[in-house]
Amino acid sequence: CRVMTITQAVCLVGGRGSRLGRLTDETPKPMLEVGGRPYLDYIVHEARRFGLRQLLLLTGYRSGLIEERYHGRRFGELLVEVVAEARPAGTAGALVNAAGRLDEVFFLLNGDSYFDLNWLALAPSLAEGGWLLHAALADGIEGSRYGRVDVAEGRIRGFSPEGPSTQPINAGIYLVRRALIAEIMRVPCSLEREILPTLATRGQLLGTSHRGSFIDIGVPNDFARAQTLLPAFIHRPAAFLDRDGVLNRDDGYVHRPDQIVWVEGAIETIRWLNDHGYYVFVITNQGGIAHGYYEEQHVHDLHAWMQAEMQNHGAHIDAFEHCPFHPQGAVERYASESEFRKPQPGMILKLQREWSTDPVESFVIGDRDTDVQAAIAAGIAGYKFEGGNLLRFVQAHVSSARRAPA
C-alpha cells in the first residue's frame, strides 16, 4: 500500500562540543573540518542523495557560522535552512522550538555521528501503526563507552549505559512522527534521557539493527579517525542505470506516471544497490523533448513520482540525469548534437565530477548498444540488459558489496 512520502530531515547541531576541548572554542562542532570540509557537508550530502527536499539544522552554539554557510542554500533539490534556539533547550527541546516547521514525518539526526546506512530502510515501517519513533541501531560496534539498546521483535525495550557487545548501540538516526512533540512536557529536555526511555516502556519505540561503519566525531579519537574515514565512506562505486527498458518497460516516449510499468525486480535492484553501498544514478536520453512530444518538466515530475514510489520500498535514486537533445529534433533549442546524449559519455562524466565515485567498481546497465558505448567512453564497465529479472541480472554481473574503507 502507498504510504506517506518523506521529504524532510532535521539535524540536531546545537551543542557546545565540550569533549573536543579547545577545538570548539571558536568553531561549532559540526563546522570543524573533516577531510578538508566542514563535517556538516557530509550530513548535507547524505540528505541530498536520499532524495529529500529540506534539511533543517537546529542550531545553538555559535549558530551564525552555520547560518552563513548553509541557510537558504540549495544542494541539488535539497534546501537547507537553519532554526536557531534562543537559549539551550536540549535535544528534545530543540524540536519543540522548531515544531511549526516540522513535517508530519521526518528523519531526525544527531549532528555529531555518522552511520553508513540507507536511511530509507526505515521508511517501510510507516505502513505500521503504534509507534512514534523508529531508531536505527548499529550492530557489531565494539567499545565500552557506548550505551546499549535492548531490542526484541523490532521494539526497543530499554537502554543501558553499559551492556554486552552483542547488543546494538543507538546510531543517532531516527524516523519520527511529529506527534512525538506532545510527549515533550517541558524545555529544556533531553530526547535520549527523558523521552526515548518512556516511549520504550510504552512499546512506542521501534528499533532496527543494521551493520555499517559508525563514527562519533564528538570525541578526540574518533574525530582524528574521521579525517580519513569519512572521505572514504562517501567515495563509492556507482551504478549508472538507463531508465526506459531497464527500470520501466520501454513503451515509447514514456513521460507520465500512468505509463510506467516497472521491469521485474527493478525496485528490488535499486534497494539492493542502496544497501550494498552503491550510488545509483539514472542516465536517460529523452529525445521526446526535442521532438516536442512532452516538456522537460514532465521528466522532472515523473522522476519525482518514481522516487516516491521507490521510497515506499526503502529504495532511492541518488541523482537523475536526462538529455533533452536530438539532432533531428522539432524544437529548435533542443535540435542539436550533445555530449550528454548517449553514446556520448557526458551524463556519466558530469555525475562523476559532482559525486565521489570509484570508477574501478562502477558500471552502466542499459538495454541498447549506445548505453554500453557510453560506459566504454567514460572508462567504466557496461552491461546490456535484454529483459528478465533485473536483480538477478545485476547480481550476476557486479560485486555484492562495496570495498570497505581503509
Side-chain angles (χ1 to χ4, degrees):
C1 65
R2 188 166 182 79
V3 297
M4 182 180 307
T5 302
I6 308 161
T7 62
Q8 183 186 64
V10 178
C11 188
L12 300 166
V13 288
R16 168 69 170 81
S18 58
R19 292 179 297 175
L20 292 175
R22 300 297 298 276
L23 285 175
T24 56
D25 281 353
E26 302 294 332
T27 305
K29 178 172 53 179
M31 290 295 291
L32 293 174
E33 282 206 358
V34 174
R37 63 171 73 179
Y39 171 71
L40 261 179
D41 277 14
Y42 296 95
I43 299 294
V44 170
H45 170 87
E46 292 293 276
R48 175 190 176 189
R49 76 185 190 90
F50 291 123
L52 304 181
R53 297 303 181 96
Q54 184 187 48
L55 173 63
L56 288 184
L57 302 176
L58 307 190
T59 62
Y61 178 69
R62 295 196 173 272
S63 175
L65 293 176
I66 299 175
E67 293 181 46
E68 183 179 349
R69 181 174 177 86
Y70 296 103
H71 185 63
R73 285 189 61 189
R74 285 193 178 274
F75 299 81
E77 297 296 317
L78 180 74
L79 173 64
V80 181
E81 297 180 282
V82 172
V83 179
E85 60 189 12
R87 60 188 60 86
T91 49
L95 292 176
V96 173
N97 289 340
R101 305 286 302 277
L102 302 178
D103 288 353
E104 188 173 342
V105 176
F106 57 93
F107 287 110
L108 178 64
L109 318 166
N110 284 348
D112 57 4
S113 59
Y114 181 96
F115 185 38
D116 191 8
L117 167 75
N118 171 17
W119 299 357
L120 293 174
L122 304 177
S125 65
L126 284 172
E128 306 173 22
W131 60 271
L132 291 176
L133 184 145
H134 186 173
L137 308 177
D139 211 358
I141 305 298
E142 300 293 336
S144 59
R145 70 181 180 87
Y146 298 109
R148 299 291 168 171
V149 182
D150 182 10
V151 59
E153 297 180 350
R155 299 272 170 168
I156 292 176
R157 300 190 298 189
F159 301 85
S160 59
E162 295 182 6
S165 59
T166 54
Q167 289 184 325
I169 69 169
N170 185 346
I173 298 173
Y174 313 100
L175 184 61
V176 181
R177 297 189 191 275
R178 190 177 58 206
L180 174 75
I181 299 297
E183 303 293 322
I184 306 169
M185 307 304 295
R186 62 180 183 80
V187 175
C189 181
S190 167
L191 181 71
E192 298 81 3
R193 292 192 301 271
E194 300 176 63
I195 302 302
L196 298 189
T198 299
L199 296 183
T201 60
R202 298 204 311 238
Q204 292 181 296
L205 187 56
L206 299 185
T208 304
S209 295
H210 305 265
R211 283 193 172 264
S213 299
F214 175 84
I215 196 162
D216 174 6
I217 70 157
V219 294
N221 286 345
D222 271 13
F223 181 71
R225 289 198 310 124
Q227 302 301 321
T228 53
L229 283 180
L230 281 181
F233 289 165
I234 68 168
H235 186 66
R236 300 170 180 265
F240 298 86
L241 307 180
D242 181 38
R243 195 191 76 186
D244 302 326
V246 175
L247 297 182
N248 57 276
R249 194 172 69 194
D250 187 355
D251 290 329
Y253 301 111
V254 171
H255 62 280
R256 299 191 313 269
D258 64 288
Q259 297 173 309
I260 291 291
V261 178
W262 293 99
V263 164
E264 181 187 0
I267 294 179
E268 293 83 357
T269 299
I270 296 166
R271 172 64 188 268
W272 185 87
L273 290 166
N274 295 154
D275 288 345
H276 286 84
Y278 288 85
Y279 289 126
V280 185
F281 303 127
V282 166
I283 51 171
T284 175
N285 285 349
Q286 290 296 312
I289 298 169
H291 294 310
Y293 301 149
Y294 48 89
E295 299 179 357
E296 280 198 84
Q297 190 58 48
H298 290 106
V299 175
H300 292 303
D301 291 345
L302 178 59
H303 290 168
W305 178 87
M306 294 175 76
Q307 191 81 291
E309 289 294 299
M310 288 182 281
Q311 190 182 99
N312 292 339
H313 301 273
H316 72 279
I317 298 294
D318 292 278
F320 292 86
E321 287 291 336
H322 72 275
C323 178
F325 299 98
H326 193 286
Q328 281 81 50
V331 180
E332 184 176 356
R333 65 190 176 115
Y334 296 122
S336 65
E337 293 283 358
S338 171
E339 63 181 325
F340 293 100
R341 180 171 175 79
K342 294 176 289 185
Q344 299 302 315
M347 286 188 284
I348 300 171
L349 297 178
K350 178 176 183 288
L351 289 163
Q352 288 177 326
R353 288 193 300 269
E354 293 177 353
W355 300 74
S356 182
T357 65
D358 178 358
V360 174
E361 296 186 23
S362 297
F363 59 89
V364 171
I365 292 180
D367 66 326
R368 300 188 180 191
D369 292 337
T370 51
D371 297 307
V372 177
Q373 291 163 9
I376 294 170
I380 61 176
Y383 306 103
K384 186 175 180 180
F385 175 66
E386 297 180 324
N389 184 288
L390 183 62
L391 179 58
R392 286 200 289 269
F393 179 86
V394 169
Q395 289 175 334
H397 285 83
V398 307
S399 171
S400 65
R402 61 178 296 215
R403 188 170 57 244

